[in-house]
Amino acid sequence: MTFARAQERLRALEASAEPAPAAGRELAEALLRQALECLSGAPEYLLAARLLRSGGLRPDRESALDPSLRAISQAGLASWDPSTDELRPTPLLAALVGIFNSAIEALLAEAP
């Protein structure tokens, strides 16, 4: 009987742990809003471009305290690679900067 109850509890926990599709979409939208907000700052945008150009940055002690670096990491735009001790751009960062760059190029092409 105890084993059956434990299995029922486990099934209930597993069922409640799976996010509903709407909840998953809300989480993704919140992450995207946070990433876009982060890249709206000039220091963060420049750091993101540098991160993409170099493929990764190995921050020293002083730059590790840089608020821009911390903001990019917290927004899910960079991830720390413990094997090389460097920050690497995430696919989300590459996609967003790619969208920004193509939009800027389109605006410049339209300018008189």
Side-chain angles (χ1 to χ4, degrees):
M1 189 73 142
T2 304
F3 181 70
R5 283 189 196 141
Q7 282 185 326
E8 287 175 11
R9 289 182 189 144
L10 182 60
R11 283 190 206 115
L13 285 173
E14 288 174 348
S16 67
E18 295 176 12
R25 182 170 175 85
E26 288 174 10
L27 180 62
E29 288 174 356
L31 175 66
L32 183 57
R33 277 192 301 274
Q34 183 180 4
L36 290 170
E37 185 178 327
C38 176
L39 290 176
S40 69
E44 289 81 4
Y45 186 80
L46 293 172
L47 179 61
R50 198 172 101 212
L51 222 157
L52 283 171
R53 271 194 316 275
S54 66
L57 296 174
R58 183 172 289 152
D60 55 16
R61 289 180 187 219
E62 291 174 16
S63 66
L65 300 175
D66 181 8
S68 301
L69 193 62
R70 196 169 47 245
I72 283 180
S73 297
Q74 290 173 346
L77 299 172
S79 61
W80 176 62
D81 182 356
S83 65
T84 60
D85 196 30
E86 68 181 5
L87 284 174
R88 295 189 180 221
T90 62
L92 177 60
L93 177 62
L96 289 176
V97 170
I99 291 169
F100 291 160
N101 288 341
S102 60
I104 291 169
E105 287 172 11
L107 285 173
L108 292 175
E110 292 176 6

